[in-house]
Amino acid sequence: MLHCGARFLHRRVLTLWSPQVLTQKSSSSKTVPETASKKPQSSSSSLNLDDGKVFRLKTKWELSRGLLVFFLCSSPWLVQKLLSFTRRILGRRLWTSALRLTLYGQFVAGETHKEIKETLQRLQHLGVRPLLAVPIEEDVGEEKEGEGWYDKNAQSMITCLDLSVGGAPNPMMQLKVTALMAAELCVSTVGCIKQQLLGYAVEKGVRVLVDAEYTYINPALTLVTIAMMATWNTQKPWISNTYQAYLKDTLERLKQDVALAERLGVCFGVKLVRGAYLNKERKLAKEKGYPDPVQPSWEATNERCGFFRENCSSVLNLGSVRLCATLRFLLGISFGGSVVRVFGQLLGMCDQVSLALGQAGYAIYKSIPYGSVEEVIPYLIRRAHENQSVLLGIRKERDLLRLELWRRILRRP
């Protein structure tokens, strides 16, 4: 009965706070062909990423939920305490429904295929492309017993591929290597990736972006990814490797890997991300007594993005410094000497940037995790920690959400 009541509350909240949903959906559906055929503006300087007018595309419920979630994310400790405390008080069913209304609803596409497809369609109406990801978190010492867990993950990746097909032009998905083999194996040896998964991706026309993880795993992950490139990137860049801009040695490693790909004669794909393991990397460096591998601040990472643009122009065109400082990742894919550039962010974060780019006709992707509430809890906790590390940017988005919500409440034009 409590579960039914929670579902009724969810529907009632959406009804009360979403009076413009039908209007927006119908108007969005009319503009999809126009957005899809629209060519990107010639200069990013003509884009206004700071006025928040694109938030008029959101419902009142989405604005309110965003404000609540970003307030919670300002204290990861509060998020963890609330998750454990409310579960004991509310019980599993009511607790799950409460999460679906808040953190889960903000950052996760859904659990069922129907929920996921509805999220993908909503993003497409806004000019944003999906980049699906199976949110599996594993570290050295946490590997699961037996091959059954990894086989199950491989099947989940295949399902992810199927969901990605037809989701947008040039469909992509994210691959976490430690979901397919033990993290300990990544440290000690290159290992063996399930080739049928990558063969299936190429057959379906889905590009695979291999996630970076912790610094002590990344060298082996890069070897695995370059090996996959040597097999599958002979004609097109189906496989891309990830480089974390917040690490001090990223530029040198990127140059080395590009040179290796050139010697192998294969297409090279790279995803440049800001990075999401900052707190743990610093903690480990302090405990183990080695130099901190991470840039000293968020501002230093942003400056490093500008440095990438200035010093890697012969390798990749990574876009403007201003965009690089605000986007979650930039993806450069080499096609026979030419470079295709797309942008991306996490679902539920920095929508004032991604929606503006999507409406302007740029190729903008949202990294979209999916799964049950229980499966994505580690991912949600990491999002809370990450949001705290970029609190300045979150404050900006929170302020824009608040202004738009007040505009609607006061019925201003």
Side-chain angles (χ1 to χ4, degrees):
M1 185 171 178
L2 284 175
H3 184 49
C4 294
R7 287 189 175 275
F8 172 77
L9 176 62
H10 190 178
R11 290 196 300 269
R12 185 61 178 159
V13 167
L14 292 178
T15 302
L16 289 172
W17 284 87
S18 307
Q20 302 175 357
V21 171
L22 293 177
T23 304
Q24 287 182 353
K25 280 189 176 181
S26 60
S27 62
S28 296
S29 62
K30 292 179 182 177
T31 61
V32 168
E34 181 181 341
T35 302
S37 61
K38 189 190 302 181
K39 290 184 179 180
Q41 298 175 7
S42 58
S43 173
S44 62
S45 61
S46 60
L47 280 172
N48 191 334
L49 305 178
D50 300 320
D51 62 7
K53 286 185 179 179
V54 288
F55 283 156
R56 298 187 179 193
L57 298 170
K58 287 180 173 285
T59 65
K60 288 180 181 177
W61 165 246
E62 289 172 327
L63 295 171
S64 304
R65 182 185 64 196
L67 284 170
L68 172 61
V69 167
F70 290 146
F71 168 75
L72 293 174
C73 286
S74 64
S75 174
W77 176 86
L78 178 62
V79 172
Q80 288 181 279
K81 291 295 181 184
L82 279 175
L83 287 175
S84 59
F85 175 74
T86 54
R87 180 166 186 170
R88 290 197 303 268
I89 298 299
L90 298 177
R92 183 177 177 275
R93 287 187 174 182
L94 202 57
W95 176 78
T96 298
S97 298
L99 273 186
R100 282 181 171 272
L101 281 169
T102 51
L103 289 166
Y104 183 96
Q106 181 76 10
F107 297 122
V108 184
E111 180 177 359
T112 66
H113 285 198
K114 182 176 181 242
E115 291 172 340
I116 297 165
K117 288 180 179 178
E118 285 175 355
T119 299
L120 302 190
Q121 288 171 358
R122 186 171 69 252
L123 289 173
Q124 284 181 280
H125 284 318
L126 298 173
V128 178
R129 304 179 185 185
L131 176 62
L132 288 172
V134 181
I136 301 169
E137 303 281 334
E138 184 184 327
D139 194 5
V140 171
E142 299 176 351
E143 63 271 12
K144 307 299 185 287
E145 293 182 5
E147 288 295 314
W149 190 77
Y150 300 106
D151 291 337
K152 179 184 175 182
N153 291 341
Q155 186 57 51
S156 297
M157 297 292 179
I158 291 174
T159 302
C160 185
L161 276 167
D162 289 331
L163 289 169
S164 300
V165 174
N170 296 319
M172 303 180 187
M173 66 162 283
Q174 292 171 252
L175 173 67
K176 203 174 185 74
V177 172
T178 53
L180 301 178
M181 64 186 200
E184 292 283 3
L185 184 60
C186 288
V187 173
S188 60
T189 183
V190 173
C192 178
I193 290 293
K194 299 177 184 294
Q195 291 295 318
Q196 67 267 28
L197 174 62
L198 299 176
Y200 190 62
V202 173
E203 178 187 335
K204 292 292 185 179
V206 178
R207 304 187 190 281
V208 177
L209 313 182
V210 180
D211 282 341
E213 301 185 40
Y214 298 106
T215 49
Y216 46 85
I217 301 178
N218 283 342
L221 296 183
T222 297
L223 286 175
V224 170
T225 306
I226 296 294
M228 291 191 290
M229 287 185 188
T231 301
W232 301 104
N233 284 14
T234 54
Q235 300 298 323
K236 292 184 179 181
W238 296 111
I239 312 296
S240 292
N241 195 30
T242 299
Y243 298 86
Q244 298 152 311
Y246 74 164
L247 296 178
K248 297 173 182 176
D249 65 346
T250 295
L251 177 60
E252 188 59 36
R253 289 189 297 105
L254 177 57
K255 287 181 176 180
Q256 291 173 358
D257 294 343
V258 170
L260 176 58
E262 288 178 346
R263 289 197 300 272
L264 293 171
V266 298
C267 300
F268 186 75
V270 53
K271 183 177 77 168
L272 174 66
V273 302
R274 184 182 61 83
Y277 302 100
L278 184 146
N279 293 330
K280 183 163 183 178
E281 291 286 7
R282 284 183 170 158
K283 181 181 177 182
L284 283 173
K286 187 175 180 180
E287 290 176 353
K288 303 291 185 180
Y290 58 80
D292 186 351
V294 179
Q295 296 289 348
S297 66
W298 185 63
E299 291 77 14
T301 299
N302 292 341
E303 291 174 7
R304 193 63 171 173
C305 279
F307 185 80
F308 271 103
R309 178 176 180 264
E310 294 168 6
N311 291 271
C312 294
S313 57
S314 62
V315 179
L316 294 170
N317 180 1
L318 293 179
S320 73
V321 178
R322 189 163 73 94
L323 288 179
C324 188
T326 54
L327 290 169
R328 167 68 184 181
F329 66 77
L330 299 161
L331 177 67
I333 307 176
S334 173
F335 289 92
S338 63
V339 172
V340 175
R341 183 181 64 206
V342 302
F343 308 104
Q345 293 173 309
L346 293 170
L347 181 67
M349 292 179 65
C350 290
D351 284 346
Q352 76 273 19
V353 175
S354 51
L355 293 182
L357 287 171
Q359 293 295 301
Y362 284 90
I364 174 74
Y365 287 77
K366 280 287 192 181
S367 177
I368 304 174
Y370 65 91
S372 68
V373 172
E374 294 284 354
E375 289 171 338
V376 301
I377 285 295
Y379 174 87
L380 294 176
I381 291 174
R382 189 151 64 89
R383 290 287 73 77
H385 282 284
E386 184 177 353
N387 283 348
Q388 188 187 37
S389 70
V390 291
L391 193 55
L392 184 62
I394 296 303
R395 283 175 182 162
K396 176 66 176 178
E397 184 171 7
R398 194 171 59 194
D399 290 343
L400 293 174
L401 287 169
R402 187 184 296 111
L403 285 173
E404 175 58 23
L405 186 57
W406 274 113
R407 185 192 70 81
R408 294 196 197 178
I409 292 174
L410 299 176
R411 300 192 176 185
R412 293 174 179 169

